[in-house]
Tab-separated table of all heavy atoms in Angstrom:
chain	number	residue	atom	x	y	z
A	253	ASN	N	-29.864	7.145	21.070
A	253	ASN	CA	-30.747	7.102	22.227
A	253	ASN	C	-30.453	5.911	23.136
A	253	ASN	O	-30.586	6.006	24.366
A	253	ASN	CB	-32.207	7.062	21.770
A	253	ASN	CG	-32.653	8.376	21.169
A	253	ASN	OD1	-32.123	9.425	21.512
A	253	ASN	ND2	-33.613	8.325	20.262
A	254	GLU	N	-30.054	4.783	22.534
A	254	GLU	CA	-29.706	3.626	23.345
A	254	GLU	C	-28.525	3.932	24.266
A	254	GLU	O	-28.460	3.448	25.400
A	254	GLU	CB	-29.372	2.429	22.447
A	254	GLU	CG	-30.564	1.825	21.732
A	254	GLU	CD	-31.516	1.140	22.698
A	254	GLU	OE1	-31.161	0.081	23.245
A	254	GLU	OE2	-32.610	1.684	22.917
A	255	TYR	N	-27.584	4.723	23.778
A	255	TYR	CA	-26.456	5.133	24.612
A	255	TYR	C	-26.882	6.161	25.659
A	255	TYR	O	-26.459	6.098	26.822
A	255	TYR	CB	-25.340	5.721	23.746
A	255	TYR	CG	-24.458	4.695	23.092
A	255	TYR	CD1	-24.611	4.356	21.752
A	255	TYR	CD2	-23.451	4.057	23.817
A	255	TYR	CE1	-23.794	3.419	21.154
A	255	TYR	CE2	-22.623	3.110	23.222
A	255	TYR	CZ	-22.802	2.804	21.891
A	255	TYR	OH	-21.986	1.865	21.297
A	256	ILE	N	-27.704	7.103	25.250
A	256	ILE	CA	-28.096	8.170	26.165
A	256	ILE	C	-28.820	7.625	27.385
A	256	ILE	O	-28.537	8.020	28.524
A	256	ILE	CB	-28.962	9.211	25.425
A	256	ILE	CG1	-28.083	10.026	24.460
A	256	ILE	CG2	-29.665	10.144	26.413
A	256	ILE	CD1	-28.860	10.919	23.519
A	257	VAL	N	-29.759	6.711	27.183
A	257	VAL	CA	-30.531	6.207	28.316
A	257	VAL	C	-29.678	5.338	29.242
A	257	VAL	O	-30.078	5.054	30.371
A	257	VAL	CB	-31.775	5.410	27.851
A	257	VAL	CG1	-32.691	6.291	27.034
A	257	VAL	CG2	-31.378	4.154	27.073
A	258	ARG	N	-28.482	4.943	28.782
A	258	ARG	CA	-27.569	4.174	29.636
A	258	ARG	C	-26.420	5.040	30.150
A	258	ARG	O	-25.366	4.523	30.539
A	258	ARG	CB	-27.037	2.969	28.858
A	258	ARG	CG	-28.113	1.909	28.621
A	258	ARG	CD	-27.668	0.852	27.634
A	258	ARG	NE	-28.663	-0.206	27.507
A	258	ARG	CZ	-29.761	-0.130	26.750
A	258	ARG	NH1	-29.990	0.963	26.038
A	258	ARG	NH2	-30.619	-1.131	26.697
A	259	ASP	N	-26.607	6.344	30.147
A	259	ASP	CA	-25.679	7.286	30.782
A	259	ASP	C	-24.327	7.381	30.092
A	259	ASP	O	-23.332	7.799	30.715
A	259	ASP	CB	-25.456	6.923	32.262
A	259	ASP	CG	-26.759	6.873	33.052
A	259	ASP	OD1	-27.659	7.657	32.723
A	259	ASP	OD2	-26.864	6.049	33.982
A	260	ALA	N	-24.246	7.030	28.825
A	260	ALA	CA	-22.952	7.049	28.153
A	260	ALA	C	-22.402	8.453	27.960
A	260	ALA	O	-21.183	8.627	27.863
A	260	ALA	CB	-23.055	6.359	26.795
A	261	TYR	N	-23.267	9.464	27.912
A	261	TYR	CA	-22.808	10.804	27.574
A	261	TYR	C	-22.844	11.768	28.749
A	261	TYR	O	-22.715	12.970	28.566
A	261	TYR	CB	-23.631	11.368	26.408
A	261	TYR	CG	-23.341	10.662	25.109
A	261	TYR	CD1	-24.215	9.710	24.603
A	261	TYR	CD2	-22.171	10.921	24.404
A	261	TYR	CE1	-23.935	9.049	23.421
A	261	TYR	CE2	-21.882	10.262	23.229
A	261	TYR	CZ	-22.773	9.331	22.737
A	261	TYR	OH	-22.499	8.665	21.567
A	262	VAL	N	-23.014	11.277	29.964
A	262	VAL	CA	-22.974	12.147	31.128
A	262	VAL	C	-21.597	12.804	31.195
A	262	VAL	O	-20.567	12.147	31.118
A	262	VAL	CB	-23.255	11.359	32.414
A	262	VAL	CG1	-23.041	12.238	33.635
A	262	VAL	CG2	-24.681	10.825	32.393
A	263	GLY	N	-21.607	14.133	31.317
A	263	GLY	CA	-20.356	14.877	31.346
A	263	GLY	C	-19.922	15.382	29.994
A	263	GLY	O	-19.074	16.261	29.898
A	264	ARG	N	-20.520	14.838	28.909
A	264	ARG	CA	-20.169	15.303	27.572
A	264	ARG	C	-21.359	15.891	26.827
A	264	ARG	O	-21.186	16.619	25.885
A	264	ARG	CB	-19.541	14.145	26.774
A	264	ARG	CG	-18.140	13.837	27.233
A	264	ARG	CD	-17.557	12.648	26.504
A	264	ARG	NE	-18.261	11.416	26.809
A	264	ARG	CZ	-18.088	10.728	27.932
A	264	ARG	NH1	-17.264	11.176	28.852
A	264	ARG	NH2	-18.735	9.609	28.150
A	265	THR	N	-22.539	15.559	27.248
A	265	THR	CA	-23.730	16.220	26.736
A	265	THR	C	-24.751	16.201	27.869
A	265	THR	O	-24.723	15.297	28.705
A	265	THR	CB	-24.287	15.506	25.485
A	265	THR	OG1	-25.280	16.321	24.877
A	265	THR	CG2	-24.891	14.166	25.817
A	266	PRO	N	-25.618	17.186	27.963
A	266	PRO	CA	-26.538	17.218	29.103
A	266	PRO	C	-27.383	15.951	29.180
A	266	PRO	O	-27.875	15.463	28.160
A	266	PRO	CB	-27.406	18.445	28.806
A	266	PRO	CG	-26.583	19.292	27.903
A	266	PRO	CD	-25.783	18.334	27.075
A	267	PRO	N	-27.554	15.387	30.384
A	267	PRO	CA	-28.465	14.246	30.514
A	267	PRO	C	-29.862	14.625	30.049
A	267	PRO	O	-30.323	15.746	30.279
A	267	PRO	CB	-28.453	13.962	32.018
A	267	PRO	CG	-27.183	14.572	32.503
A	267	PRO	CD	-26.943	15.771	31.640
A	268	LEU	N	-30.522	13.718	29.384
A	268	LEU	CA	-31.822	14.010	28.791
A	268	LEU	C	-32.915	13.227	29.492
A	268	LEU	O	-32.719	12.093	29.914
A	268	LEU	CB	-31.820	13.653	27.308
A	268	LEU	CG	-30.776	14.364	26.451
A	268	LEU	CD1	-30.819	13.816	25.044
A	268	LEU	CD2	-31.011	15.862	26.446
A	269	THR	N	-34.077	13.835	29.617
A	269	THR	CA	-35.232	13.128	30.157
A	269	THR	C	-35.999	12.416	29.062
A	269	THR	O	-36.777	11.510	29.333
A	269	THR	CB	-36.170	14.108	30.878
A	269	THR	OG1	-36.567	15.133	29.958
A	269	THR	CG2	-35.462	14.749	32.061
A	270	GLU	N	-35.763	12.808	27.813
A	270	GLU	CA	-36.390	12.165	26.673
A	270	GLU	C	-35.331	11.897	25.611
A	270	GLU	O	-34.322	12.609	25.532
A	270	GLU	CB	-37.496	13.053	26.075
A	270	GLU	CG	-38.652	13.315	27.028
A	270	GLU	CD	-39.712	14.202	26.388
A	270	GLU	OE1	-39.509	14.611	25.230
A	270	GLU	OE2	-40.711	14.464	27.049
A	271	PRO	N	-35.531	10.899	24.775
A	271	PRO	CA	-34.560	10.619	23.716
A	271	PRO	C	-34.468	11.767	22.713
A	271	PRO	O	-35.383	12.571	22.575
A	271	PRO	CB	-35.122	9.356	23.049
A	271	PRO	CG	-36.028	8.748	24.061
A	271	PRO	CD	-36.608	9.904	24.816
A	272	TYR	N	-33.351	11.822	22.033
A	272	TYR	CA	-33.222	12.756	20.915
A	272	TYR	C	-34.305	12.474	19.876
A	272	TYR	O	-34.587	11.316	19.563
A	272	TYR	CB	-31.876	12.563	20.217
A	272	TYR	CG	-30.730	13.368	20.763
A	272	TYR	CD1	-30.057	12.968	21.900
A	272	TYR	CD2	-30.302	14.511	20.108
A	272	TYR	CE1	-28.972	13.684	22.384
A	272	TYR	CE2	-29.215	15.231	20.577
A	272	TYR	CZ	-28.558	14.821	21.712
A	272	TYR	OH	-27.486	15.526	22.180
A	273	THR	N	-34.859	13.510	19.318
A	273	THR	CA	-35.769	13.355	18.185
A	273	THR	C	-35.335	14.216	17.005
A	273	THR	O	-35.844	14.053	15.904
A	273	THR	CB	-37.203	13.745	18.571
A	273	THR	OG1	-37.211	15.086	19.076
A	273	THR	CG2	-37.756	12.792	19.629
A	274	ASP	N	-34.383	15.112	17.230
A	274	ASP	CA	-33.971	16.059	16.203
A	274	ASP	C	-32.517	15.807	15.811
A	274	ASP	O	-31.608	16.034	16.611
A	274	ASP	CB	-34.127	17.490	16.727
A	274	ASP	CG	-33.783	18.542	15.674
A	274	ASP	OD1	-33.444	18.153	14.535
A	274	ASP	OD2	-33.841	19.729	16.003
A	275	PRO	N	-32.262	15.342	14.589
A	275	PRO	CA	-30.884	15.114	14.157
A	275	PRO	C	-30.015	16.365	14.256
A	275	PRO	O	-28.814	16.265	14.506
A	275	PRO	CB	-31.048	14.660	12.701
A	275	PRO	CG	-32.417	14.087	12.632
A	275	PRO	CD	-33.241	14.921	13.581
A	276	LYS	N	-30.601	17.539	14.069
A	276	LYS	CA	-29.802	18.764	14.127
A	276	LYS	C	-29.202	18.968	15.510
A	276	LYS	O	-28.113	19.515	15.654
A	276	LYS	CB	-30.668	19.966	13.730
A	276	LYS	CG	-31.066	19.975	12.267
A	276	LYS	CD	-31.877	21.220	11.922
A	276	LYS	CE	-32.269	21.216	10.447
A	276	LYS	NZ	-33.090	22.407	10.093
A	277	LYS	N	-29.916	18.525	16.544
A	277	LYS	CA	-29.381	18.663	17.894
A	277	LYS	C	-28.183	17.736	18.082
A	277	LYS	O	-27.182	18.110	18.712
A	277	LYS	CB	-30.444	18.365	18.941
A	277	LYS	CG	-29.938	18.483	20.372
A	277	LYS	CD	-31.054	18.473	21.385
A	277	LYS	CE	-30.517	18.490	22.812
A	277	LYS	NZ	-29.531	19.545	23.080
A	278	ALA	N	-28.266	16.533	17.542
A	278	ALA	CA	-27.136	15.615	17.620
A	278	ALA	C	-25.914	16.194	16.918
A	278	ALA	O	-24.785	16.087	17.397
A	278	ALA	CB	-27.510	14.267	17.016
Side-chain angles (χ1 to χ4, degrees):
N253 290 333
E254 289 292 290
Y255 279 102
I256 288 170
V257 299
R258 290 169 175 81
D259 303 327
Y261 290 102
V262 173
R264 286 177 294 282
T265 191
L268 301 175
T269 57
E270 297 180 359
Y272 271 80
T273 56
D274 183 1
K276 291 182 180 179
K277 180 168 176 51

